[in-house]
């Protein structure tokens, strides 16, 4: 599978997850399928980081859409415009920032390069303090794909450990490793309009789900 296909899988499973969370909480199978989305996004985040021409622009995009998505996120899940928790874009932003800072520190000092991993610890604490989606577990999963990008067995074992610590239903997230492990390293269709659509999909679908729930 190429990157475009993985993005489609992540978007579709996220949509099913949020339909279950917002409209049909009685159908647990929707939430189970939805566990596939976040690990795929974490994997794609680190793939994007390794191949991006500008980490700063990547961070800026994530930051902008984190802010844009916050009200739709709180409306859909908390029925309020007031901030109750931070959306998943904040988690991805913190994870990307941690990877970038970690590489900067490791490149600047061979002796103290290990201190770069502290960036992920700080990101995890920030995610917990901000109450961003998946919190420090999300940062831990991003770290797995950052540190063990080509080690599939290690990814599987550590992912299972993280999901197990979260909750029983999160173990369904291991299904995400199937499409991840079939990734062929190619980006697929990558027009700017397509990229923008994937970014916009998150806040737009949350607003639509909120309006449907409000009408019902």
């Amino acid at each position: 599978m190429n990157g475009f296909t993985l993005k489609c899988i992540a978007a579709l499973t996220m949509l099913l997850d949020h339909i279950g969370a917002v409209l049909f909480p009685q159908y647990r199978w929707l939430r189970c399928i939805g566990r596939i989305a976040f690990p795929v996004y974490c994997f794609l985040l680190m793939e994007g980081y390794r191949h991006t021409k500008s980490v700063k622009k990547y961070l800026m995009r994530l930051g902008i859409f984190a802010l844009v998505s916050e009200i739709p996120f709180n409306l859909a899940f908390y029925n309020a415009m007031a901030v109750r928790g931070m959306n998943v874009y904040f988690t991805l932003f913190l994870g990307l920032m941690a990877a970038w800072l970690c590489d900067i520190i490791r490149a600047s000092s061979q002796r103290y390069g290990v201190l770069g991993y502290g960036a992920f610890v700080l990101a995890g604490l920030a995610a917990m303090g901000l109450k961003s989606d998946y919190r420090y577990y999300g940062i831990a999963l991003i770290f797995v794909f950052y540190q063990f990008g080509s080690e599939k067995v290690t990814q599987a074992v550590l992912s299972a450990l993280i999901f197990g610590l979260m909750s029983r239903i999160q173990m369904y997230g291991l299904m995400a490793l199937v499409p991840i492990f079939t990734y062929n390293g190619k980006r697929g269709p990558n027009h700017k309009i397509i990229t923008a659509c994937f970014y916009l999909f998150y806040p737009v679908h949350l607003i639509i789900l909120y309006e449907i729930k409000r009408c019902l």
Side-chain angles (χ1 to χ4, degrees):
M1 295 185 182
N2 58 36
F4 176 80
T5 305
L6 287 179
K7 287 179 183 179
C8 290
I9 290 173
L12 177 60
T13 53
M14 178 178 66
L15 176 61
L16 292 175
D17 180 45
H18 292 168
I19 288 174
V22 177
L23 301 177
F24 303 107
Q26 68 273 29
Y27 297 133
R28 192 169 182 268
W29 63 271
L30 289 169
R31 306 305 312 281
C32 293
I33 294 175
R35 298 308 92 207
I36 295 173
F38 184 68
V40 175
Y41 278 124
C42 291
F43 172 79
L44 290 171
L45 180 76
M46 287 297 95
E47 281 296 301
Y49 168 61
R50 294 186 184 99
H51 296 97
T52 186
K53 295 179 180 178
S54 174
V55 180
K56 292 181 181 179
K57 290 183 179 179
Y58 197 179
L59 282 168
M60 184 175 67
R61 287 195 299 271
L62 287 175
I64 289 172
F65 280 95
L67 295 174
V68 169
S69 302
E70 188 56 23
I71 290 178
F73 175 78
N74 283 282
L75 285 174
F77 293 108
Y78 301 108
N79 289 315
M81 293 184 67
V83 175
R84 303 286 183 84
M86 297 294 189
N87 65 78
V88 74
Y89 270 127
F90 283 100
T91 308
L92 297 175
F93 176 89
L94 290 170
L96 179 60
M97 177 67 77
W100 187 38
L101 291 177
C102 185
D103 278 347
I104 291 174
I105 295 172
R106 291 171 68 186
S108 63
S109 174
Q110 293 183 350
R111 184 175 181 181
Y112 300 106
V114 68
L115 295 177
Y117 294 117
F120 282 95
V121 176
L122 293 176
L125 293 173
M128 182 170 60
L130 292 172
K131 297 181 180 179
S132 65
D133 216 4
Y134 287 92
R135 293 175 170 77
Y136 47 85
Y137 294 111
I139 301 298
L141 190 61
I142 292 170
F143 174 76
V144 169
F145 291 117
Y146 163 81
Q147 183 64 25
F148 306 103
S150 60
E151 302 175 32
K152 294 182 179 180
V153 174
T154 305
Q155 287 178 8
V157 171
L158 293 179
S159 296
L161 177 61
I162 293 169
F163 294 143
L165 290 172
M166 291 177 71
S167 66
R168 183 176 299 177
I169 194 173
Q170 294 294 343
M171 291 299 292
Y172 287 95
L174 288 174
M175 294 188 295
L177 297 179
V178 176
I180 288 173
F181 288 170
T182 60
Y183 175 59
N184 60 14
K186 298 180 180 179
R187 300 180 72 175
N190 192 45
H191 194 276
K192 289 183 178 180
I193 295 178
I194 295 176
T195 301
C197 288
F198 277 117
Y199 274 103
L200 284 168
F201 180 77
Y202 184 72
V204 170
H205 91 276
L206 288 178
I207 283 292
I208 293 173
L209 289 178
Y210 167 71
E211 290 298 332
I212 293 174
K213 180 175 67 173
R214 194 165 64 89
C215 291
L216 293 176

